[in-house]
Amino acid sequence: MFVVSLNYKVPLIEIDRLQAAHVEWLKACYAEGVFIASGPKKPRTGGIIIAQCPREILDARLAADPFAKAGAADYDVTEFLARMTAAGLDAFKEA
């Protein structure tokens, strides 16, 4: 499983211009079963994505993000093993 931290590199006006395409990209990644959760950071300096897939698939999906294509965000990817989860999230536990 991965935690992806997006950090914006451009003013929010540019992020807002790309937002609709970014949301469509997110929806496609959810439909593929790659993303588990996502949302903006507070304050709005970037976002967080939780993903479960092989690293090469994640890297390909991140490269396709409209933010990445426009050079509007950097991505910091951290892999971890989910050994414990809250009730209802047992499907995400890893050995």
Side-chain angles (χ1 to χ4, degrees):
M1 190 171 301
F2 300 92
V3 175
V4 181
S5 178
L6 284 74
N7 297 297
Y8 299 148
K9 300 174 12 177
V10 298
L12 286 177
I13 193 152
E14 179 66 11
I15 296 299
D16 290 342
R17 186 183 72 73
L18 297 165
Q19 189 70 28
H22 174 74
V23 169
E24 290 306 311
W25 168 80
L26 286 168
K27 288 178 182 178
C29 292
Y30 278 103
E32 289 181 276
V34 173
F35 291 173
I36 297 168
S38 62
K41 292 180 180 177
K42 225 174 157 182
R44 194 171 166 216
T45 59
I48 299 291
I49 298 169
I50 299 176
Q52 188 175 38
C53 61
R55 177 65 190 253
E56 59 273 7
I57 291 174
L58 177 61
D59 289 343
R61 297 308 176 272
L62 294 177
D65 181 1
F67 289 166
K69 288 181 169 184
D74 284 328
Y75 303 77
D76 181 41
V77 178
T78 303
E79 185 172 9
F80 76 102
L81 297 173
R83 303 290 173 140
M84 297 178 71
T85 61
L89 297 178
D90 289 340
F92 298 109
K93 284 186 186 175
E94 300 177 74

